[in-house]
């Protein structure tokens, strides 16, 4: 068991003015990209408490979709800002999400129709936020945050009414790369006493082969943290059923990523999907470890991002049914940053020679360039002469200067 006191003294004092929802991005749109999207790669979605609506992200915009019939998706938040990870509040009236509309990535909340935007975190730099989750009473939002010096996700808690954020976990010393503590993708128990999240030791680019991740449970009353799931293929991105009895989590099955289900009461643990989208353990996992999956209100099915789309998994049978959609994308983009450069179309000019060696009599230079071996008189009166056309490096003269 790992235990630590709640870091009550670790209040965030991040300075940035609260915005009324307007975008503070300095980049101005100069062109538009319009098309009808029928796929949403690595979408982070959520299902409303009544099971009728899916919120999901496409190319930095957030859309709403009929969870039963699918069909045309309704834009909720669009514009120059990059917005993702929408998660419904317990009463279904609001959602939390990640956005850079303040000029930096931060945690926000909004009404389900996209109005009433409110910024919760106050970062102004290169911080990365991921995986918001609500407290059961709807008064607070959890999210994971990574800073560049630490390269590990730490867990924070924000009151939706405002105020500084409370840091719940600490990565550890930046000097020790391999023992940093990650906490990513939190979900709260129905009684509000526990948080479940994926955890691992090491920084973002840990080189150890998977599995690296486990599911931890944190007692919010004491700050104690226990590992509750340590599977042979690892345990990633936990999702908790509404009755608190089941946890779905991603795990490796050979070279594939699948979905497992753990009964927290009986301890039964089984595969419910042999393959979902491949996890991001070897990458930066800035947008969490897998596309998000969540239980339906009756806990009999799971809605998730899968194969560039949205699907519903029946837990009992393991059958997967796609939920088709169309989304009218209207992306406003800044000016092109391409710079025109003239490409020489004549003979290739060698700009760097390697391993130059002067002959014993001081009259000739041997060197390699583009993998070939050349010699050239040092008086500069003749062009270099190629001796070996390829795979030649580090020339060295014989003492008499007759061979190389």
């Amino acid at each position: 068991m790992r235990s630590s006191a709640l870091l009550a003294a670790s209040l965030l004092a991040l300075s940035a003015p609260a915005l009324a929802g307007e975008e503070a991005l300095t980049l101005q749109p100069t062109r538009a990209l319009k098309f009808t999207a029928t796929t949403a790669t690595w979408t982070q979605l959520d299902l409303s408490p009544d099971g009728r609506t899916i919120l999901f992200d496409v190319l930095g915009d957030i859309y709403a979709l009929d969870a039963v019939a699918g069909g045309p998706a309704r834009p909720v938040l669009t514009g120059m800002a990059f917005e993702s990870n929408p998660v419904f509040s317990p009463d279904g009236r609001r959602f939390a999400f990640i956005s850079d509309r303040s000029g930096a990535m931060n945690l926000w909340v909004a009404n389900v129709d996209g109005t009433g935007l409110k910024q919760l975190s106050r970062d102004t730099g290169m911080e990365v936020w991921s995986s918001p989750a609500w407290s059961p009473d709807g008064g607070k939002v959890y999210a994971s945050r990574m800073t560049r010096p630490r390269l590990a996700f730490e867990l924070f808690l924000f009151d939706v009414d405002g105020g500084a954020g409370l840091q719940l976990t600490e990565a550890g010393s930046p000097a020790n790369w391999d023992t940093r503590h990650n906490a990513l993708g939190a979900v709260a128990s129905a009684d509000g006493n526990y948080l479940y999240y994926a955890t691992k030791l090491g920084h973002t680019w840990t080189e150890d082969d998977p599995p690296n991740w486990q599911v931890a449970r944190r007692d919010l009353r004491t700050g104690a943290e226990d590992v509750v799931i340590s599977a042979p293929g690892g345990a990633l991105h936990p999702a908790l059923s509404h009755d608190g009895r089941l946890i779905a989590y991603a795990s490796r099955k050979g070279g594939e990523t699948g979905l497992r289900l753990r009964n927290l009461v009986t301890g039964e643990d089984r595969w419910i999907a042999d393959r979902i989208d491949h996890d991001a353990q070897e990458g930066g996992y800035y947008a969490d470890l897998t596309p998000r999956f969540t239980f339906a209100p009756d806990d009999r099915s799971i809605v998730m991002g899968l194969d560039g789309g949205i699907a519903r998994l029946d837990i009992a049978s393991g059958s997967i049914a796609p939920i088709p959609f169309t989304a009218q994308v209207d992306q406003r983009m800044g000016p092109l940053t391409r710079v025109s450069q003239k490409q020489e179309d004549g003979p290739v000019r060698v700009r760097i020679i390697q391993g130059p060696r002067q002959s014993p009599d001081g009259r000739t230079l041997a060197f390699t360039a583009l993998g070939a071996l050349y010699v050239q008189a040092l008086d500069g009166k003749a062009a270099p002469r190629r001796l070996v056309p390829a795979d030649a490096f580090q020339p060295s003269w014989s003492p008499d200067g007759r061979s190389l």
Side-chain angles (χ1 to χ4, degrees):
M1 172 185 289
R2 291 188 58 199
S3 69
S4 61
L6 287 175
L7 303 176
S10 299
L11 293 177
L12 278 178
L14 303 174
S15 59
L19 300 175
E22 72 274 10
E23 293 184 10
L25 300 174
T26 58
L27 186 66
Q28 297 300 313
T30 60
R31 55 204 174 98
L33 173 65
K34 297 183 179 182
F35 67 98
T36 300
T38 58
T39 59
T41 302
W42 201 266
T43 188
Q44 302 292 356
L45 56 75
D46 194 29
L47 184 63
S48 62
D50 62 9
R52 297 179 179 178
T53 304
I54 295 171
L55 284 179
F56 67 107
D57 52 26
V58 179
L59 295 174
D61 291 336
I62 295 176
Y63 293 80
L65 177 69
D66 186 314
V68 178
R74 174 175 54 85
V76 177
L77 286 178
T78 60
M80 287 286 289
F82 191 94
E83 291 161 332
S84 63
N85 284 240
V87 180
F88 280 102
S89 61
D91 62 9
R93 296 180 179 179
R94 291 183 291 184
F95 65 95
F97 63 103
I98 306 299
S99 175
D100 65 358
R101 65 173 46 235
S102 66
M105 187 181 289
N106 277 289
L107 177 65
W108 291 70
V109 294
N111 297 327
V112 291
D113 61 359
T115 64
L117 284 88
K118 185 174 184 179
Q119 184 179 347
L120 299 186
S121 66
R122 297 289 185 269
D123 279 329
T124 59
M126 295 292 291
E127 295 79 8
V128 175
W129 286 91
S130 183
S131 310
W134 290 82
S135 62
D137 62 7
K140 298 177 176 62
V141 179
Y142 300 94
S144 294
R145 173 180 180 259
M146 185 194 71
T147 60
R148 297 296 175 178
R150 294 187 182 276
L151 287 181
F153 278 98
E154 299 170 311
L155 194 59
F156 290 82
L157 173 65
F158 290 88
D159 194 309
V160 295
D161 290 330
L166 176 66
Q167 185 173 349
L168 300 179
T169 69
E170 188 174 12
S173 170
N176 195 337
W177 288 85
D178 295 326
T179 61
R180 296 182 185 181
H181 179 258
N182 284 263
L184 182 60
V187 59
S189 62
D191 59 13
N193 292 332
Y194 298 97
L195 280 181
Y196 295 86
Y197 47 84
T199 182
K200 80 158 187 176
L201 294 179
H203 59 91
T204 312
W205 299 102
T206 298
E207 296 178 354
D208 296 339
D209 292 332
N212 299 317
W213 292 84
Q214 307 170 95
V215 172
R217 178 179 61 191
R218 187 176 191 86
D219 191 323
L220 294 175
R221 298 161 297 185
T222 66
E225 181 185 286
D226 296 293
V227 172
V228 293
I229 301 179
S230 181
L236 322 169
H237 209 166
L240 190 64
S241 64
H242 296 82
D243 61 13
R245 296 168 58 89
L246 304 173
I247 282 187
Y249 65 95
S251 185
R252 285 282 178 92
K253 187 176 185 180
E256 299 285 355
T257 302
L259 198 62
R260 294 185 67 89
L261 189 69
R262 168 71 63 92
N263 189 312
L264 294 174
V265 178
T266 66
E268 178 191 9
D269 199 309
R270 63 186 179 91
W271 291 102
I272 55 174
D274 290 334
R275 189 195 66 80
I276 61 174
D277 283 2
H278 196 69
D279 63 74
Q281 289 188 73
E282 293 92 347
Y285 52 83
Y286 302 126
D288 215 312
L289 290 158
T290 69
R292 194 169 186 271
F293 43 87
T294 184
F295 282 86
D298 61 5
D299 291 332
R300 295 180 179 179
S301 63
I302 291 175
V303 174
M304 58 184 172
L306 180 66
D307 292 335
I310 300 173
R312 184 185 297 270
L313 167 68
D314 181 79
I315 294 175
S317 67
S319 63
I320 297 177
I323 302 176
F325 71 89
T326 58
Q328 300 303 319
V329 174
D330 186 0
Q331 282 283 348
R332 304 294 170 174
M333 299 179 293
L336 287 170
T337 57
R338 297 172 182 168
V339 177
S340 297
Q341 292 183 323
K342 183 178 179 180
Q343 179 65 41
E344 295 183 7
D345 54 8
V348 176
R349 290 193 299 154
V350 174
R351 301 178 185 275
I352 297 176
I353 65 172
Q354 294 178 305
R357 293 292 184 270
Q358 193 172 12
S359 63
D361 63 8
R363 302 167 66 179
T364 307
L365 184 70
F367 62 91
T368 60
L370 302 176
L373 174 63
Y374 293 85
V375 291
Q376 183 178 21
L378 285 173
D379 60 12
K381 295 181 179 180
R385 180 166 56 93
R386 188 171 65 180
L387 299 182
V388 178
D391 298 326
F393 302 95
Q394 302 295 332
S396 179
W397 290 91
S398 64
D400 60 7
R402 295 181 177 181
S403 61
L404 285 163

